[in-house]
């Protein structure tokens, strides 16, 4: 079967996008957390951030061209790519997808579907939690009357929100901070639902296999010898 140009592009650029995503996240983290760093270092991190975003924009444009679709249809059918391009801190979601794309083109052993969903959900939670706490800390730390004034506060708020616990001891006060909190809530609900649904499906399959076993093959069954 002949591979389409878009499939070839996704196969070859998956690793590049993964590296660019990690560089974007790392440079952004250094700029947010490195308050006492020299101006030259901060400028370098800013350059890396913009260069990484340029890679994302180039990939988006090439994918649109190779798809053969006009812009309105491409934006509708690739809405996640569009959202991630506008909000680059959501790139951790695409890191997982890029890894899956690369793995799909190799013949090596892969985890079962249920294990992959749970593993990728865990990686996504970690990366999104890190990115969300950085963005929240950047917006809240200097706001008048803010509760979230340290990065530790931002991490605690993000963890309780992603886990859908929400203690309520900390809350954002800026409009953008609250918008980030809403996004974290949505991600937490979606990922929790994916993991819960996958685990429930796996349990149902296990119980179904147990029910289909002949009585003589069930664990602990007598072998007929006294």
């Amino acid at each position: 079967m002949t591979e389409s140009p878009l499939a070839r592009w996704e196969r070859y650029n998956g690793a590049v996008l993964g590296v660019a995503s990690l560089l974007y996240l790392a440079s952004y983290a250094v700029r947010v957390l490195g308050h006492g760093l020299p101006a030259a270092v901060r400028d370098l991190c800013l350059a890396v951030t913009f260069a990484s975003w340029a890679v994302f924009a180039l990939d988006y444009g090439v994918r649109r061209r190779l798809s053969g679709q006009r812009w309105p249809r491409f934006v509708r059918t690739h809405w996640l790519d569009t959202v991630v391009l506008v909000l680059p801190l959501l790139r951790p979601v695409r890191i997982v997808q890029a890894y899956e794309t690369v793995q799909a083109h190799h013949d090596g052993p892969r985890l079962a579907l249920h294990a992959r969903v749970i593993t990728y959900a865990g990686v996504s939670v970690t990366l999104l939690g890190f990115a969300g706490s950085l963005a929240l800390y950047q917006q809240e730390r200097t706001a008048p009357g803010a509760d979230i004034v340290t990065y530790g506060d931002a991490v605690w708020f993000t963890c309780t929100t992603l886990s859908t616990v929400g203690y309520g001891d900390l809350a954002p006060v800026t409009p953008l901070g609250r918008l980030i909190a809403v996004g974290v809530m949505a991600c937490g609900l979606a990922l929790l639902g994916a993991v819960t649904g996958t685990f429930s499906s796996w349990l149902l399959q296990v119980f179904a296999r147990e029910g289909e076993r002949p009585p003589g093959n069930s664990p602990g069954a007598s072998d007929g010898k006294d």
Side-chain angles (χ1 to χ4, degrees), residues 4 8-9 12 29 52 57 61 83 104 122 131 140 166 169 179 188-189 205 208 212 223:
S4 67
R8 285 198 302 270
W9 173 262
Y12 287 119
S52 301
V83 170
E140 294 290 314
D169 53 343
L179 183 61
L189 288 172
Q205 290 185 11
E212 292 172 358
D223 59 1

Side-chain angles (χ1 to χ4, degrees), residues 47-217:
V48 172
T49 302
F50 279 115
S52 301
W53 187 87
V55 172
F56 307 150
L58 175 63
D59 172 72
Y60 187 82
V62 171
R63 286 161 61 87
R64 200 287 306 176
R65 184 173 182 82
L66 294 179
S67 69
Q69 299 175 342
R70 295 184 179 273
W71 277 111
R73 178 175 174 79
F74 181 81
V75 171
R76 288 196 308 270
T77 57
H78 296 77
W79 62 269
L80 179 58
D81 294 324
T82 306
V83 170
V84 169
L85 182 65
V86 177
L87 302 173
L89 277 179
L90 295 179
R91 288 304 302 188
V93 178
R94 303 294 290 165
I95 293 175
V96 176
Q97 186 181 42
Y99 175 77
E100 178 69 9
T101 301
V102 173
Q103 286 292 99
H105 291 85
H106 290 77
D107 296 328
R110 303 173 70 195
L111 295 174
L113 176 61
H114 300 117
R116 293 208 309 274
V117 170
I118 293 175
T119 300
Y120 295 165
V123 174
S124 297
V125 164
T126 302
L127 294 173
L128 284 171
F130 179 57
S133 61
L134 286 173
L136 195 64
Y137 174 60
Q138 184 184 32
Q139 296 301 319
E140 294 290 314
R141 64 186 178 89
T142 57
D147 294 329
I148 302 173
V149 294
T150 67
Y151 183 62
D153 293 338
V155 171
W156 171 251
F157 174 83
T158 304
C159 289
T160 57
T161 304
L162 273 175
S163 63
T164 69
V165 174
Y167 280 101
D169 53 343
L170 299 173
V173 297
T174 63
L176 189 54
R178 290 173 177 172
L179 183 61
I180 294 170
V182 170
V184 172
M185 293 175 198
C187 291
L189 288 172
L191 292 169
L192 182 63
V195 173
T196 303
T198 300
F199 184 68
S200 300
S201 175
W202 175 74
L203 283 179
L204 289 174
Q205 290 185 11
V206 170
F207 293 153
R209 287 197 298 267
E210 289 291 333
E212 292 172 358
R213 287 181 178 176
N217 294 338

